[in-house]
Amino acid sequence: MLKKIKNYFRPGRLIKLPPATRSYAVLLKKLENNETFAFSRWGDGEWESVFALRNENEANCDGHLYFSSMRESLHKILVSNPPYLMGMQKLAYHKLLGREIDSYLKNNGIFREWLNADAFHDASGNGQIKSFFTILAEKNVLLAGPAHLKKLTLFHFEFCEVPGKNCWLERDRILRDIKEIIRMKQPEVILFCAGMTSNWFIDELHGSFRGFILDVGSLLDPYAGVNSRNYHKKLHNITFNETESKM
């Protein structure tokens, strides 16, 4: 993988990606003001899939395989230039695949404003995430994610379990379960922690669900006792510190 990264170290120039702190402030304000929105995140895994840089026998860091049908669906989402908010991962754009992303967007006529996909993760890393959890505690939340997230106690939520790996293969069943929970419980917020499939779920739901839909990736893992990213190990020192009052 390291060899591959060195081979395509090509930062982008077309997009002026805002700081994660600014994007976090934008998303929080919309939540606080009940300005409903959907937010999908596009990182190195999604772009590797779209560009077919991995074959179907390879997996991302969470063990999700790069299915060709998923690649086609992610491509269709992008070229449809959906009306909801989309976040670009700074690692993918500023370091790994930026020029390829620039060419792809230009060739497909995709000209839009991008938020920083690391908005929530950076807020967690620098101790400013409590504001987000405080808002969620005041809303009816549906969380779709792997089994270990059932342990979360930061806010109350209805839960839809997704497989820890390859949830793409069960996407239709999961979507049916989510729609049933929406019908029965009428959540205001849906949080997705479903890997690259999260973008598909968001695109399927955004036109019919009248609340907030957010891909939060691995954000919640360490708060449920799972350190799935390197920065998670440092959170016990800075989580919920005084810095959030300085936003």
Side-chain angles (χ1 to χ4, degrees):
M1 179 60 185
L2 182 59
K3 184 177 180 181
K4 280 190 175 184
I5 289 176
K6 288 180 178 178
N7 286 342
Y8 52 81
F9 185 83
R10 297 165 63 82
R13 297 174 181 148
L14 184 65
I15 299 170
K16 196 169 185 179
L17 196 59
T21 51
R22 188 182 304 165
S23 293
Y24 182 56
V26 167
L27 295 169
L28 279 189
K29 185 175 181 180
K30 287 182 176 295
L31 283 163
E32 290 170 341
N33 294 339
N34 284 317
E35 300 174 21
T36 56
F37 64 90
F39 175 60
S40 68
R41 301 168 59 252
W42 297 80
D44 55 317
E46 287 79 11
W47 289 111
E48 285 181 337
S49 178
V50 170
F51 297 152
L53 296 177
R54 303 286 197 99
N55 62 50
E56 290 200 346
N57 296 318
E58 293 183 284
N60 71 357
C61 61
D62 296 314
H64 297 284
L65 294 173
Y66 288 81
F67 300 103
S68 59
S69 56
M70 182 179 70
R71 176 183 62 78
E72 293 167 4
S73 290
L74 291 176
H75 167 70
K76 287 179 180 178
I77 292 170
L78 285 166
V79 298
S80 73
N81 206 9
Y84 49 81
L85 301 175
M86 299 173 78
M88 180 76 72
Q89 183 199 45
K90 58 189 174 186
L91 173 67
Y93 190 69
H94 285 162
K95 293 185 177 181
L96 302 182
L97 294 164
R99 294 187 194 175
E100 285 75 12
I101 293 171
D102 281 349
S103 295
Y104 176 86
L105 297 177
K106 186 176 180 180
N107 291 339
N108 287 283
I110 304 170
F111 302 101
R112 62 178 300 136
E113 209 174 309
W114 292 83
L115 294 180
N116 194 311
D118 297 308
F120 294 112
H121 295 72
D122 279 18
S124 181
N126 62 29
Q128 296 178 333
I129 196 63
K130 186 179 179 182
S131 299
F132 178 51
F133 294 150
T134 298
I135 293 172
L136 293 179
E138 298 174 352
K139 296 185 181 296
N140 298 324
V141 178
L142 165 57
L143 171 58
H148 64 263
L149 293 183
K150 290 179 183 178
K151 301 176 185 178
L152 279 173
T153 58
L154 294 166
F155 50 89
H156 176 73
F157 54 87
E158 300 294 331
F159 191 68
C160 177
E161 184 172 336
V162 305
K165 295 181 181 180
N166 299 326
C167 54
W168 178 255
L169 298 177
E170 296 188 41
R171 63 192 183 282
D172 292 327
R173 186 272 301 170
I174 296 168
L175 185 61
R176 287 196 299 271
D177 291 347
I178 287 172
K179 288 182 175 180
E180 180 62 15
I181 295 173
I182 291 172
R183 186 181 71 83
M184 296 292 293
K185 301 295 184 177
Q186 299 181 338
E188 300 167 87
V189 181
I190 304 177
L191 302 178
F192 280 105
C193 307
M196 295 177 282
T197 310
S198 293
N199 288 348
W200 182 82
F201 288 129
I202 291 170
D203 197 70
E204 289 291 312
L205 289 168
H206 85 274
S208 57
F209 181 69
R210 302 301 179 187
F212 303 94
I213 317 174
L214 298 87
D215 173 10
V216 294
S218 61
L219 170 71
L220 301 174
D221 285 351
Y223 304 104
V226 175
N227 292 333
S228 61
R229 299 294 186 274
N230 288 334
Y231 82 90
H232 289 166
K233 300 173 185 177
K234 304 174 184 178
L235 290 182
H236 68 282
N237 293 324
I238 56 179
T239 300
F240 303 165
N241 68 23
E242 296 297 327
T243 60
E244 70 175 0
S245 63
K246 301 177 183 178
M247 286 186 60

